[in-house]
Amino acid sequence: MRASCVLLAALAALAAYYVYIPLPGSVSDPWKLMLLDATFRGAQQVSNLIHYLGLSHHLLALNFIIVSFGKKTAWSSAQVKVTDTEFDGVEVRVFEGPRKPEEPLQRSVVYVHGGGWALASAKIRYYDELCTVMAEELNAVIVSIEYRLVPKVYFPEQIHDVVRATKHFLQPEILQKYMVDPGRICISGDSAGGNLAAALAQQFNQDANLKNKLKLQALIYPVLQALDFNTPSYQQNVNTPILPRYVMVKYWVDYFKGSYDFVQAMIVNNHTSLDVEEATALRARLNWTSLLPALITKSYKPVVQATGNPRIVQEIPQLLDARAAPLIADQEVLRDLPKTYILTCEHDVLRDDGIMYAKRLESAAMLLVTAVSSQRAPWKEAEPVHCLEE
Ligand SMILES: *[C@@H]1O[C@H](CO)[C@@H](O)[C@H](O)[C@H]1NC(C)=O
Ligand SMILES: *[C@@H]1O[C@H](CO)[C@@H](O)[C@H](O)[C@H]1NC(C)=O
């Protein structure tokens, strides 16, 4: 009896030790977050064990756990009609919200789920419910894309899937089939899905046939760059659940089919040190000492290594590809993108990616307006206008 009491107490202590993590005071529902984090960590450890035993790739195992926990069949309610179909060979789940009688054509959101380019699904409860709510509350048609994931495919295949499905949807006859207004279509996504959504918006903007097809991009805590893993938000949230910095860096490495041997070096920005010539021109595009307000930078110091490891970008050149890191795109690419909404969270390594992107978009738009107004009236001092605040 006594022995089992001791054992029980020891187990409880062990469980508490496993679950408990110190969190900032401003996190709401800290216990909920701790339990979620412990569950996710547990699933990751089981997956790593499965990988180690040679039974399956750890990301396949982890996604198997995630998807089996919460897969939902396409179930239509009285309000929302849900269908699984394919758009140009890419699986999609379509949610058709209630129609207002006065609006024969509905608006539409093309949605790209998150999960580090490797996890989750349009069909898990979480995203299914999110899209159902969007369809219902916006009276809209939501297209949630089931793009292929790491390790089945790697960069840039995820982007190709998302682009293929969206292009297919934008064809006049398909829009007509779903009775969607071609002038009111939004691309949206969260986390790695926000990354893919931003990449798609840039690609469409450069394609004369597709330009102006999107009315809006809505990016929810998007991942936007892999050059600097020491922005104030990366420094502040090094160990914040459920996305500590080393986990985010590993998602990047996995997306490019790179080697984990580089993770520690990338964490200290050795991949973009001053002796890495390929990164020189790009480094200035995410110079956060000028892009972020003082409220955000606080007393954080930039981490710029004089010497690092030039082999990293030689072996993983995708790190410097703007399709992977939309934040480092040329200024011209950022001009007249669709209207943009960006949401970021305070306790998130990704916060500053979103803020820097907003700032770069704002500057690009201001430059454009300045150019136009000086063309019209070259004698007058051009006044910059904040396009994004309309
Ligand atoms: C970063 O690069 C420097 C110079 O090559 C090296 O001394 C250091 O060990 C590297 N740091 C990591 C974490 O790899
Ligand atoms: C970053 O911006 C700061 C402040 O504007 C400037 O002093 C610094 O030289 C810039 N660094 C780079 C690499 O562009």
Side-chain angles (χ1 to χ4, degrees):
M1 181 66 195
R2 177 171 296 168
S4 57
C5 274
V6 170
L7 192 66
L8 211 64
L11 276 178
L14 205 65
Y17 177 76
Y18 189 77
V19 171
Y20 181 78
I21 30 162
L23 289 172
S26 50
V27 170
S28 54
D29 299 323
W31 280 103
K32 212 165 149 184
L33 180 58
M34 278 184 223
L35 281 174
L36 176 69
D37 179 64
T39 313
F40 194 50
R41 258 186 298 136
Q44 280 171 310
Q45 282 153 358
V46 170
S47 309
N48 290 342
L49 181 66
I50 291 171
H51 190 111
Y52 177 76
L53 295 175
L55 299 174
S56 170
H57 191 286
H58 69 105
L59 288 168
L60 282 179
L62 185 56
N63 207 29
F64 178 79
I65 298 173
I66 291 173
V67 172
S68 12
F69 252 95
K71 196 156 183 168
K72 240 186 126 188
T73 48
W75 184 82
S76 303
S77 68
Q79 292 283 330
V80 181
K81 181 180 167 202
V82 186
T83 347
D84 284 336
T85 180
E86 278 190 9
F87 282 178
D88 194 13
V90 180
E91 285 181 55
V92 294
R93 180 167 280 191
V94 184
F95 303 76
E96 293 171 74
R99 278 175 201 283
K100 291 191 206 160
E102 69 274 21
E103 276 183 13
L105 293 182
Q106 285 184 300
R107 35 192 182 176
S108 180
V109 178
V110 175
Y111 197 80
V112 192
H113 72 78
W117 306 282
L119 302 173
S121 156
K123 295 173 185 174
I124 60 171
R125 182 173 309 260
Y126 177 78
Y127 285 112
D128 182 276
E129 286 176 0
L130 175 71
C131 292
T132 303
V133 169
M134 278 200 283
E136 208 170 309
E137 295 194 354
L138 299 174
N139 297 99
V141 175
I142 315 296
V143 175
S144 187
I145 304 180
E146 188 76 328
Y147 57 98
R148 290 167 302 157
L149 303 170
V150 174
K152 199 168 182 186
V153 295
Y154 299 90
F155 170 86
E157 286 306 316
Q158 280 82 348
I159 303 177
H160 290 164
D161 280 4
V162 168
V163 166
R164 273 223 315 278
T166 309
K167 271 188 184 170
H168 177 87
F169 179 60
L170 290 178
Q171 295 174 103
E173 60 274 21
I174 304 296
L175 292 180
Q176 201 168 24
K177 178 179 165 199
Y178 289 99
M179 300 216 292
V180 164
D181 183 345
R184 295 167 83 203
I185 298 169
C186 165
I187 179 82
S188 181
D190 64 287
S191 192
N195 167 280
L196 296 170
L200 176 140
Q202 291 189 358
Q203 186 171 327
F204 275 31
N205 215 28
Q206 290 162 274
D207 183 334
N209 295 324
L210 294 167
K211 213 175 162 78
N212 302 327
K213 294 269 187 191
L214 297 171
K215 168 94 173 180
L216 188 80
Q217 60 172 340
L219 312 175
I220 317 297
Y221 37 82
V223 188
L224 295 169
Q225 58 91 20
L227 271 70
D228 186 352
F229 294 117
N230 289 277
T231 59
S233 60
Y234 266 108
Q235 293 189 43
Q236 176 183 296
N237 300 295
V238 163
N239 290 314
T240 301
I242 51 175
L243 189 63
R245 174 168 62 183
Y246 77 95
V247 174
M248 188 60 238
V249 176
K250 280 180 155 180
Y251 282 137
W252 273 115
V253 170
D254 282 322
Y255 188 29
F256 302 140
K257 209 179 179 189
S259 160
Y260 283 167
D261 293 348
F262 294 139
V263 169
Q264 287 310 318
M266 287 165 66
I267 282 175
V268 299
N269 285 351
N270 262 5
H271 59 310
T272 51
S273 53
L274 296 175
D275 58 341
V276 176
E277 277 165 29
E278 297 91 328
T280 309
L282 301 174
R283 221 176 283 113
R285 295 184 184 176
L286 46 98
N287 179 1
W288 54 259
T289 50
S290 59
L291 287 172
L292 297 175
L295 185 76
I296 295 284
T297 53
K298 298 198 179 111
S299 55
Y300 292 107
K301 297 275 171 295
V303 174
V304 182
Q305 306 290 357
T307 59
N309 185 351
R311 244 187 62 217
I312 301 177
V313 296
Q314 280 156 15
E315 288 198 17
I316 318 180
Q318 303 95 317
L319 282 164
L320 307 181
D321 191 321
R323 291 174 301 164
L327 180 55
I328 59 172
D330 288 340
Q331 181 102 337
E332 295 88 76
V333 176
L334 302 184
R335 280 182 197 168
D336 51 12
L337 275 173
K339 273 194 185 175
T340 302
Y341 172 88
I342 299 176
L343 181 149
T344 61
C345 296
E346 174 64 16
H347 301 294
D348 183 5
V349 289
L350 303 173
R351 181 196 64 192
D352 298 342
D353 282 21
I355 302 177
M356 288 193 282
Y357 198 45
K359 187 69 192 171
R360 284 208 70 211
L361 291 181
E362 206 173 57
S363 313
M366 269 160 46
L367 270 187
L368 181 72
V369 172
T370 309
V372 169
S373 58
S374 62
Q375 222 172 44
R376 283 203 193 123
W379 60 89
K380 233 176 86 185
E381 191 80 55
E383 280 188 26
V385 179
H386 276 245
C387 286
L388 298 176
E389 287 181 2
E390 279 171 5

